[in-house]
Amino acid sequence: MGVSDVQIIRTVDDMRYFVKTAKKNEKTIGFVPTMGYLHEGHVSLMTHAKKENDCVVVCVFVNPLQFNDTKDLDVYPRDETHDVTVCKNIGVDVLFMPPVSEIYPQAMGITMTLQKRIGVLCDRTRPGHFSGVLTVLSKLFHITEPTHVYFGLKDAQQVAVVDLLIQDLHFDTILRRIETVREADGLAKSSRNVNLTPEERTMAPTIYCALKEAVQQMKQGIKTKQEVMQLVETKIEVETTGTIDYIEILSYPELEEVSELKGTLIVACAVNFSKARLIDNVIMTCNDE
Ligand code: AMP
């Protein structure tokens, strides 16, 4: 496969000019927002975007507004040269890499607050995170006017809130939900995996093993929600040095509490290792009998 050139854009004005020209030529735009340090998970989103659109715009922007912990922001991995190469290999048309001052030229006078799909999962320990995500995505959707937007189900709560954002604020775009890409041993690909120690890296696949076991138990229909959550908790506690942030079973995409294991559900967890917080989930539909 040949390596094509990618146009690197760093300003909002230049990005708008590209979009205006593409629209004038009746081109569809596939948009993939990321925080960079691109891996096969991001590549999957880009490949889907390439198949469905005339042009693909990838954004690499580490959004300070969605980090409630500055230490986490400081250690977030970055590699611009690598990201450019990945985009070239896939045949991405535009790589939008604005500096923070371009997206936030002044302190925000407007904050966005969610009323639904919140108060659970990552919102419990990362207050303000989704507000920051919605703010940056609203800006990026306005700037890039995408026909389709691509998000990974590894961040299932993000997909659920982006779904609400598009509905509630009438963004004229179609949301594509892309399956989680995993390492051979099952660990969900993540930019944060480089911050695992070698020992933690060998333990981390336990998270997905525990989630898969939970699905098996739920399919058999013998265990209660509490019993299934306990099973996941015990496996992660015994087989890793990570500290569990949460394990939850909720309806999906509503993210509401369920008393019975019925309908479409998400089993999700977050585990803190020494320098990396990993999240993963499985979404499944239970038999209604
Ligand atoms: P991030 O750069 O981590 O903010 O992720 C950017 C986008 O890539 C989000 O929509 C993520 O859900 C998606 N993504 C991250 N990791 C994966 C993965 N392992 N499989 C599929 N999508 C992913």
Side-chain angles (χ1 to χ4, degrees):
M1 197 173 65
V3 173
S4 59
D5 228 359
V6 59
Q7 189 181 345
I8 295 174
I9 295 183
R10 296 191 192 269
T11 69
V12 172
D13 280 352
D14 288 351
M15 194 61 243
R16 283 199 197 279
Y17 181 76
F18 174 90
V19 170
K20 214 165 136 188
T21 311
K23 298 271 162 178
K24 205 162 75 191
N25 293 321
E26 294 182 8
K27 304 254 192 241
T28 54
I29 298 175
F31 181 52
V32 183
T34 80
M35 295 206 298
Y37 212 73
L38 303 175
H39 53 66
E40 285 90 339
H42 301 115
V43 167
S44 171
L45 270 55
M46 294 179 204
T47 310
H48 279 89
K50 187 123 181 89
K51 279 198 199 120
E52 277 189 315
N53 302 275
D54 300 318
C55 36
V56 174
V57 176
V58 171
C59 179
V60 167
F61 180 66
V62 182
N63 176 32
L65 219 62
Q66 70 191 65
F67 284 80
N68 48 336
D69 176 356
T70 49
K71 269 190 276 159
D72 190 23
L73 177 61
D74 292 344
V75 298
Y76 201 85
R78 298 164 201 242
D79 188 343
E80 197 174 299
T81 313
H82 163 80
D83 292 346
V84 173
T85 306
V86 171
C87 288
K88 277 188 184 168
N89 288 340
I90 303 294
V92 165
D93 298 272
V94 170
L95 177 51
F96 183 41
M97 290 197 283
V100 173
S101 58
E102 197 59 30
I103 299 297
Y104 299 107
Q106 58 190 27
M108 288 294 295
I110 294 175
T111 53
M112 300 182 76
T113 313
L114 280 149
Q115 306 297 341
K116 294 181 192 165
R117 305 184 182 184
I118 208 75
V120 292
L121 307 179
C122 291
D123 185 53
R124 282 191 202 277
T125 41
R126 301 189 73 192
H129 166 72
F130 286 108
S131 170
V133 169
L134 291 187
T135 303
V136 79
L137 289 178
S138 299
K139 284 170 177 269
L140 294 174
F141 289 177
H142 283 307
I143 296 164
T144 59
E145 297 179 42
T147 320
H148 300 97
V149 290
Y150 296 81
F151 286 85
L153 282 165
K154 183 177 91 70
D155 300 281
Q157 189 171 18
Q158 174 166 273
V159 171
V161 304
V162 171
D163 177 32
L164 263 189
L165 176 75
I166 292 171
Q167 287 179 46
D168 281 8
L169 297 190
H170 296 276
F171 278 103
D172 189 11
T173 191
I174 298 163
L175 171 61
R176 294 284 192 240
R177 304 158 177 84
I178 309 299
E179 289 299 327
T180 301
V181 177
R182 299 179 180 281
E183 303 286 355
D185 58 14
L187 175 64
K189 299 237 182 201
S190 166
S191 309
R192 295 174 190 273
N193 291 350
V194 292
N195 290 334
L196 294 168
T197 65
E199 192 201 3
E200 288 171 342
R201 174 62 188 84
T202 62
M203 296 166 177
T206 297
I207 298 172
Y208 184 51
C209 284
L211 292 173
K212 276 195 304 189
E213 277 180 26
V215 169
Q216 285 309 319
Q217 300 289 338
M218 286 159 76
K219 279 198 176 139
Q220 286 168 13
I222 338 163
K223 296 256 186 332
T224 64
K225 188 176 100 173
Q226 290 311 326
E227 285 166 338
V228 174
M229 290 197 318
Q230 187 59 56
L231 187 127
V232 177
E233 186 178 321
T234 307
K235 189 167 173 75
I236 293 173
E237 274 178 1
V238 170
E239 296 182 23
T240 80
T241 52
T243 312
I244 295 168
D245 181 355
Y246 64 74
I247 295 164
E248 290 188 61
I249 300 179
L250 302 166
S251 63
Y252 195 83
E254 302 81 10
L255 303 183
E256 284 166 4
E257 293 292 341
V258 288
S259 48
E260 291 179 309
L261 298 177
K262 272 186 181 174
T264 301
L265 302 176
I266 184 169
V267 189
C269 68
V271 181
N272 284 310
F273 287 93
S274 56
K275 284 206 185 78
R277 179 177 182 277
L278 303 188
I279 60 170
D280 203 351
N281 70 79
V282 288
I283 295 169
M284 63 168 298
T285 302
C286 294
N287 294 332
D288 277 355
E289 295 107 304

